[in-house]
Structures are given as structure tokens and as C-alpha cells.
Amino acid sequence: MGADHPPFGRTREATDYEEHVVSAPTSPADLVILGGGSGGYAAALRAAELGLSVVLIEKDKVGGTCLHRGCIPTKALLHSGEVADSAREGEQFGVKTSLAGIDMDGVNAYKDGVVSRLYKGLQGLIKSRKITYVEGEGRLVSPTAVSVNGETYEGRHVLLATGSYSRSIPGVELDGVRVIDSEQALGLDRVPTSAIILGGGVIGCEFASAWKSFGVDVTIIEGLKHLVPLEDESSSKLLERAFRRRKINFELGNLVSSVQPTENGVKVSLQNSKEFEAEIVLVAVGRGPVSQGLGYEEAGVAMDRGYVLVDQYCQTNVPTISAVGDLIPTLQLAHVGFGEGILVAERLAGLPVVPIDYAGVPRVTYSEPEVASVGLTEVQAREEYGDEIETLVYDLGGNGRSQILKTQGAVKLIRQKDGPVVGVHMVGSRVGELVAEAQLIFNWEALPDEVAALIHPHPTQSEAIGEAHLALAGKPLHAHS
């Protein structure tokens, strides 16, 4: 498949790593990358590993949003919340514990420490691969060149990987104090008494979960009819049920009409005339591509609503330019960026590459409980196969490990009749750790009988996947037929 994309055909001599490049190299690099987030740095590491000369340009810190302001710090925050819940609820496990309070300075020190260690490790990887790293705000100035810090870096190929920013709602102004985005929320030095979250997707539900664990009175406002609306409806309903038990409030199917400051906080008015007040408002309505004013359109790159358009190999309409990550209209997930970056690097090095099947990419919402899935939702499966599908739901009530953890939820399987499993959807504590096996089941087009033949260790939550497939294969064990 790589035949249409010839390699550059040369391996450079290794040069010393420079953290801040002062002058541009005199000869073109094999690859110039604009943006050092998940997609950009993955492409840089793999391309350098394959012998290509690489220039990596990043205006902030290598690692991008995911490492510094997204995936990693939010999951650290959620783990602090899990520890708080364990302390608060220890008695149900026969352990007399109590929660004295949340020390946000301590939480932030823990969170920042995790980020710092990973950042230093990533810096070491960049250095070890002899990648020329340039810190500064770059701009595409031709189909083969990026300008930064007054210097121009020529490349045989340019990769655009400038990532995304936190979107807002028209008419809602972020002030960084009372009305904040997710990046500002990660820097809070206090636990607010109450919060309204605009948006019930992944980001909104994760912050709602963490803040509730910290003792915040949380209300989610979601314009669509379910939380995590991109997931299977059954998963959304299970999460909603769990959030009700946790006393996380939510208003579904209603849009915001205004957000106004009050004497003690913020008031949110909805189009159905309902009003909510809280100390702060978090705007978590998704992320948009960072592409404006970077020279993309001037270089002839095809765009749509700010996104860079690419083919299945992440190549734009300009043969010397590719794009990856949140900048293109694919799943906005760090691991998707990794995969796309690696694909581009291998394509440019002349290796055969296979387009990414985005339905086969695992998706996880790290709330309590977690929501994890891969493959098609039931609605999508019916659109593709009509009535030629079967579904099965295995309740975690029959799973020993889940009972030990006192978690509730389910594993839902969707299969093509007499065919492979085309969707796996899970809700429950820690089910994100199970989705790797689900990914293999979907991507290898496994039949229920084939998975049912595998023996899963007992007692583990992974048994829930095995038990669900046993039931779908017509031989249930710890489940009603």
C-alpha cells in the first residue's frame, strides 16, 4: 500500500540534539513537523527511528495538550478523586476511614509531578533519536517550509500537527475565574462549592466525576438527550443511572441561552427557561482545530471548518504535506494521534502502511464508573446490517471481581448474525483496562464461539468479557440464558 508514496531514500548522519535551534539547517530535512503533541512527536520518533532527518517545531512544550493540559493531568485528578471516595466510603469494606478534606495544593503537586516525570522522559526520547527540536511558534510558508523564530526550515515533506483548543459557546465569554475551560479547571487552587458543567461528553463527565469525589455540588447541562452521546445508548443510560446514585445532577436535551455573573458566582439560563446557579461554570463543549493564521490555506491545503482534509493515509491535497491528530476530522484521541503519526512516518520511509479503521479504535471515558467501547453502536450496526444483528447484555452483578469492587454496570455485545462481534460496550469501574481485549475481538473479527473458548482468569473483571461471549455463543455460565 505504500507504493504510491515513495521513500526519501537516504539516512542522515546523527547530529547533536539542540533544545533551542538558533539557525536553520542548510539542506532540507526529510521531515519538518509543525506541532509537538501526540501526533507530531509520535511521527518524529518513528521517522527518526527509520533513519529520516527530522525537525520538530513546538511553540509550548513537547507532549502537547494530552500530556500537559489534557489526558494525563485529568486522569491524575480522577485518581485523587478515587482515593477520596475510598477514604470516605471505607466502612463499607470493613475499614474505618474518614476523609479530612481535599488539599488542592497537594493534589496539584501530585498531578504536576506525574506530568513532569513523563515530560522529562519524552524529552529524553527526543534527544536520544537525534531529532532537531525548535521551540517557537511556527507558520507554514510554502508546501515544503515552515518559518519559526525568524528562520525557515525546509523539508522534503511537512507534517501539520498543531492540535486543538477548547471551544466555547457563542455569547459565552471565558473570564478564567468564574467561567473557565478545561485547561483552566486543571489549574484551580481550590475546591469550588458548586459547579455547572456545560457539555456532557467525555471532558464534562470526567470533570463532573472528579469534582463530585472532591465534594463539589455538580450539575451537567447537555444539549443532546444523553450523557456521552457518542456512545451506545445503553452505556449512556447506565452512566446516567450511576451519576444519579452519586447525586451528580444533569439536565439533558436543553440548550444554554445565557451565562451571567452573579454576586456570588454565575447563573446559567436555558432555552426552556430553567435557571441554575453555581460558584463556577466549566465550558466543556468540545475542542476545535488550531489552524487559523498558520498559512495552511495560503499553501493550498484543502480545509473544512478549520479542519485540514486528508486522505486515508493522512496526506492532504498538497503532495508534500500531511496532517494528523486533532487538526483533522478524525477521533480526537491521543492514541489516534499516535497511530496517525506513526502511519505518516512509515509511509514516508517507504514501508507498507494500512489505513486506520477508526471504528476499531478503543474509546474510554474515565469517570466513575468508566465507559469503554470499541466498534459499532447498536444504531450504527442496524444502519449497516439492518435486522441482521444480535445483541447481548451481561450484567456485572454476575462478575465476582466487580462485586468485590462494589461496582455496577454491564458488558454489551453486538454481533452480525452468524458472524463476528462488531461492537463491545462496557460500563463499570476500571473497564477501561478491559477494552484492549475488546479491540482485538473487533479488529480480528472474532466469532463469539472463538472468544468463548478462551479461559479468562478468575476472579477478574476480564471474565465479564468471556462470560458475555459464552452467553452470546449459547452456553452461559454465570448468567441467565
Side-chain angles (χ1 to χ4, degrees):
M1 289 190 178
D4 295 332
H5 307 281
F8 299 135
R10 78 178 182 95
T11 302
R12 64 164 181 138
E13 196 72 27
T15 58
D16 290 336
Y17 169 77
E18 299 178 17
E19 188 171 50
H20 301 285
V21 174
V22 177
S23 59
T26 56
S27 59
D30 287 324
L31 179 60
V32 175
I33 302 172
L34 182 55
S38 301
Y41 84 68
L45 292 172
R46 183 61 177 137
E49 188 177 56
L50 293 170
L52 303 183
S53 56
V54 179
V55 176
L56 178 61
I57 299 166
E58 168 57 45
K59 68 178 182 180
D60 189 7
K61 293 179 178 178
V62 68
T65 296
C66 173
L67 175 56
H68 299 284
R69 302 174 299 279
C71 321
I72 299 301
T74 54
K75 284 22 165 208
L77 201 70
L78 282 156
H79 184 63
S80 291
E82 181 182 354
V83 173
D85 286 333
S86 295
R88 186 186 291 113
E89 300 164 2
E91 195 164 338
Q92 66 176 315
F93 301 101
V95 180
K96 293 185 177 181
T97 59
S98 61
L99 180 64
I102 304 296
D103 172 15
M104 278 309 297
D105 288 340
V107 170
N108 287 330
Y110 154 67
K111 167 177 62 68
D112 295 343
V114 172
V115 171
S116 177
R117 285 188 294 275
L118 291 172
Y119 177 46
K120 288 176 182 176
L122 182 54
Q123 287 177 306
L125 283 173
I126 298 291
K127 183 176 181 179
S128 71
R129 303 282 171 90
K130 309 300 182 184
I131 294 164
T132 301
Y133 180 73
V134 185
E135 189 174 303
E137 190 164 352
R139 187 178 190 275
L140 187 68
V141 292
S142 84
T144 57
V146 174
S147 176
V148 59
N149 300 337
E151 300 284 353
T152 299
Y153 293 83
E154 289 280 347
R156 296 168 184 247
H157 201 90
V158 173
L159 175 61
L160 307 178
T162 43
S164 61
Y165 67 94
S166 296
R167 289 187 188 274
S168 188
I169 297 173
V172 176
E173 184 177 347
L174 301 176
D175 61 17
V177 180
R178 294 182 178 182
V179 184
I180 60 177
D181 62 20
S182 60
E183 296 178 16
Q184 293 162 339
L186 285 168
L188 285 178
D189 59 0
R190 72 190 192 285
V191 177
T193 57
S194 57
I196 296 169
I197 299 175
L198 306 184
V202 174
I203 296 172
C205 286
E206 289 186 350
F207 271 99
S209 185
W211 280 348
K212 185 62 182 181
S213 297
F214 290 167
V216 181
D217 182 10
V218 180
T219 299
I220 303 171
I221 309 295
E222 168 56 52
L224 298 177
K225 64 179 182 179
H226 286 296
L227 298 178
V228 287
L230 298 182
E231 295 291 344
D232 191 86
E233 186 173 322
S234 65
S235 295
S236 295
K237 288 180 176 178
L238 284 172
L239 181 64
E240 289 160 13
R241 186 186 305 167
F243 273 17
R244 288 190 193 99
R245 285 196 300 266
R246 296 187 62 194
K247 294 183 169 44
I248 295 174
N249 306 306
F250 48 87
E251 180 76 18
L252 304 174
N254 289 308
L255 298 175
V256 173
S257 61
S258 68
V259 175
Q260 298 174 325
T262 65
E263 183 177 350
N264 299 313
V266 189
K267 180 172 71 175
V268 175
S269 302
L270 305 186
Q271 291 182 359
N272 66 354
S273 300
K274 287 187 178 182
E275 294 182 342
F276 299 86
E277 292 193 33
E279 182 182 334
I280 62 171
V281 167
L282 168 62
V283 180
V285 292
R287 299 183 65 84
V290 174
S291 59
Q292 189 173 3
L294 296 178
Y296 297 170
E297 291 175 301
E298 292 86 339
V301 176
M303 312 276 290
D304 180 32
R305 295 168 299 152
Y307 290 100
V308 171
L309 300 180
V310 296
D311 65 12
Q312 61 184 342
Y313 298 101
C314 297
Q315 182 165 307
T316 72
N317 61 307
V318 180
T320 56
I321 299 176
S322 296
V324 297
D326 289 359
L327 183 61
I328 65 176
T330 55
L331 292 171
Q332 290 186 328
L333 300 168
H335 46 286
V336 167
F338 295 150
E340 291 169 344
I342 291 168
L343 182 150
V344 169
E346 293 184 347
R347 169 168 61 80
L348 296 179
L351 299 181
V353 294
V354 177
I356 295 170
D357 178 4
Y358 291 98
V361 173
R363 307 172 293 271
V364 184
T365 302
Y366 293 87
S367 53
E368 174 50 45
E370 292 181 352
V371 180
S373 63
V374 66
L376 306 180
T377 65
E378 184 172 344
V379 169
Q380 292 167 337
R382 291 195 183 281
E383 287 174 354
E384 185 162 341
Y385 302 111
D387 292 330
E388 295 300 306
I389 66 166
E390 293 177 297
T391 65
L392 181 132
V393 176
Y394 174 79
D395 194 292
L396 292 185
N399 178 257
R401 184 65 174 168
S402 296
Q403 291 305 300
I404 291 167
L405 295 172
K406 287 189 175 290
T407 186
Q408 300 180 42
V411 174
K412 177 178 179 178
L413 303 180
I414 303 167
R415 75 173 297 193
Q416 188 179 355
K417 278 186 179 177
D418 301 319
V421 173
V422 298
V424 182
H425 305 273
M426 301 177 285
V427 178
S429 297
R430 307 183 186 181
V431 295
E433 302 298 331
L434 307 182
V435 79
E437 182 183 2
Q439 174 186 215
L440 297 178
I441 292 167
F442 174 84
N443 284 288
W444 288 349
E445 300 180 342
L447 299 172
D449 283 320
E450 293 171 330
V451 183
L454 303 175
I455 297 176
H456 290 73
H458 175 76
T460 65
Q461 285 187 290
S462 71
E463 283 182 287
I465 290 180
E467 295 264 4
H469 284 84
L470 279 166
L472 191 55
K475 43 185 177 182
L477 185 60
H478 298 99
H480 297 287
S481 58

